[in-house]
Amino acid sequence: MSRWSEVAGGDPGMRYAARFADLAATGADVHGEARLCARLVPPGSRVLDAGCGTGRVTIRLTELGYACVGVDLDASMLAEARRAAPDLRWVLADLADLDLPARDFDLVVAAGNVVPLLAPGTEPAAVARLAAHLRPGGLLVAGFGLDAAHLPLSSAPVDLDSYDEWCADAGLLPVERFATWDGAEYAGGPYAVSVHRLAG
């Protein structure tokens, strides 16, 4: 069982979608993840939104001219994504055994604390599967909290050293690390957005 399923409760999709709709209605910027991805690869690139939830990042990147696929393990979240954008491709799957066409994407993004909310022990396999879906030179971008204050958990199950090790084992090389999705420089701290490139 994923950590997400333990903390989210039953059918969280509608609640999650409403939360971001309310934020957007206040004028808050809810597209930082998509904006950073758009800085990293040009329009027309193929993007896999890993742990896409209700589809916010996938939908925004599609609007910006990217060819996107969203994948998530939570059927209630995907139901909201399909309701918002029925013409896009939404895949119900566990990232640790994701089986889409290999080497098909220019960028994989895992926003929203996806990595620490995976099932315990599956994190290395999930990173390896995401790497397997990248074209040579493609980018994996993942942002997640490093302490309980930045996670819906009582403690942080993933640290950057472990994450970097899983990436290295999957053939991914470090490129950049930011403190926020707005691209602020990372100098230590409780949240990090890591960019790794597939060798080759």
Side-chain angles (χ1 to χ4, degrees):
M1 178 179 290
S2 70
R3 296 184 184 95
W4 164 254
S5 63
E6 293 177 2
V7 302
D11 298 326
M14 290 183 67
R15 297 194 309 273
Y16 197 83
R19 173 188 167 203
F20 276 94
D22 290 346
L23 277 173
T26 69
D29 178 12
V30 296
H31 296 303
E33 301 99 328
R35 191 166 50 250
L36 179 60
C37 291
R39 283 174 44 192
L40 296 171
V41 291
S45 299
R46 288 187 54 77
V47 176
L48 177 63
D49 186 358
C52 66
T54 58
R56 177 174 50 87
V57 177
T58 303
I59 293 168
R60 180 58 179 158
L61 283 171
T62 300
E63 291 170 348
L64 295 174
Y66 294 82
C68 299
V69 176
V71 57
D72 204 281
L73 185 59
D74 189 316
S76 75
M77 301 286 268
L78 284 182
E80 294 301 315
R82 290 189 179 105
R83 191 178 348 270
D87 294 334
L88 299 186
R89 185 176 180 198
W90 307 105
V91 178
L92 180 66
D94 188 326
L95 298 183
D97 53 26
L98 182 62
D99 189 23
L100 296 174
R103 307 297 181 218
D104 198 36
F105 294 94
D106 302 294
L107 184 143
V108 174
V109 56
N113 286 316
V114 168
V115 175
L117 291 175
L118 294 168
T122 68
E123 301 94 343
V127 171
R129 291 308 303 150
L130 296 181
H133 288 81
L134 283 170
R135 294 172 178 165
L139 300 175
L140 172 61
V141 186
F144 52 87
L146 301 167
D147 64 11
H150 292 79
L151 292 165
L153 302 167
S154 60
S155 62
V158 176
D159 59 68
L160 290 177
D161 287 342
S162 296
Y163 179 70
D164 285 343
E165 182 178 338
W166 303 331
C167 286
D169 289 344
L172 294 159
L173 307 173
V175 176
E176 293 183 276
R177 180 158 282 147
F178 304 108
T180 66
W181 287 97
D182 289 331
E185 181 180 356
Y186 184 77
Y191 190 89
V193 180
S194 304
V195 183
H196 289 76
R197 185 183 305 277
L198 184 66

